[in-house]
Amino acid sequence: MFLADKFGRPYELLSKAVLYSFVFLAGMAFAAIHLDAAPAQYQLSYLVWLLPLIILLEPRVQLARPEKLFLLSGVLMFLSTVLSFWMSGDLADPQSIRTHWLYLLPVGLVATFSRTGVSRQWLYSLLIIAAIMSFIVVIKDNLYGGARGSHHGSPIPFGTVSLSTALLCLIFAMDRSVSKWLRLLLLASALIGLVAVIWSKTRAAWLFFVIWSVIAMIIWVKFEPSFKRQAAIVVSFFIIMIALLLSPFSGMVKQRFSGTYDQIEKYISGENVKTSSGQRIELWKVAINTFRENPLLGAGRSGFLEEKQGMNDNGEVEVIRSLQHAHNDVLWILATRGLLGLMVFAGLFIFLIGFYKRNLKDPGTRLAAYAGLTVCAGALVYGLTDIFMSLKLTIGYFMMINALLIRFIISLKNADAPAAGG
């Protein structure tokens, strides 16, 4: 017998109060990811253990198949990491494994959101608040001194999550089923989110914004039947790009990319390998060597660091002591978790991309599907120069936004089901 059957209405009220408290805490953690890295990471860690408790209070809810697969993917990510780190002896070091507990976040997220559903107004409001949090960091940096998201604490994750959130605001601003004012708020949130992205000086985010903008324009033109509107879309795209080039931020962008080109040139010539770009290339070499020696399960974090030290001592690379990871998702996973870890990583993205792609066919879920594909594509691009899927803050963001979008799409489909049946 369930407790709800025994205690009736009081128990039901208690479980609902706990459930919506968990939803509030999850939303607060999502917003905090954009505002301040340190408290956000603590909140995400607590949510891993706190949210699954809702299963004890409301055990009857059935999960949809996509939620089960998402949950399973997260668990497999965690288990493959534990296996590799156990074989390499890294489980004894809490620093090596603590970040990867966040792979289990979908367990609690799915359990919570499947019991409440995700409405348009709630999701859109959360994205607006998150974009505002990103902009607050820019304001604080300018008012109190600092640059490149210094008041956030993690400039690169600050730039990447700000971009994904800004693009989601922009996508959902096209939703004609909500009020004009909400759409305008979403559009304004997208713009202030993009300001935060530019301010962050995150090159991977800038690159993805350009790629996403070009693809979005092509898709929009393809599905727009009116030639006049197609022409308007193309002209608008070029006007926006020209405006960005002429904006006060253009100098910052040009300086950043010209600096990158200069760093690569100096690395190739051997003049200076201790630049940001040069160190990334050196770390990629370390990761490739580590994987070659431990192809199946990888060598764990300690194995990568040992390889780095050995290659430094032999003069094969010249890596600064403080750099502790490969600055590339795929290479870091291969080095620390091997082919098994990469297969699980690929499986997660294959499932998510396939799920969102299937939901492009339904006009009711198309915007949410584009949002999901944007999040997944962004993660893959961000992972070219950082370990997006191995940092606590960005794992938390990725798992939370995908849990929200999956449940949002399921909620939309459930809402349309009676009409379809009739």
Side-chain angles (χ1 to χ4, degrees), residues 382-404:
Y382 307 149
L384 294 175
T385 56
D386 201 16
I387 51 170
F388 185 86
M389 289 300 294
S390 294
L391 295 174
K392 185 179 288 188
L393 207 65
T394 43
I395 294 172
Y397 178 88
F398 185 84
M399 295 302 188
M400 194 168 293
I401 194 62
N402 276 294
L404 283 166

Side-chain angles (χ1 to χ4, degrees), residues 61-72:
V61 176
Q62 296 294 316
L63 300 181
R65 185 171 182 271
E67 290 175 311
K68 292 177 181 178
L69 291 175
F70 181 53
L71 186 156
L72 178 63

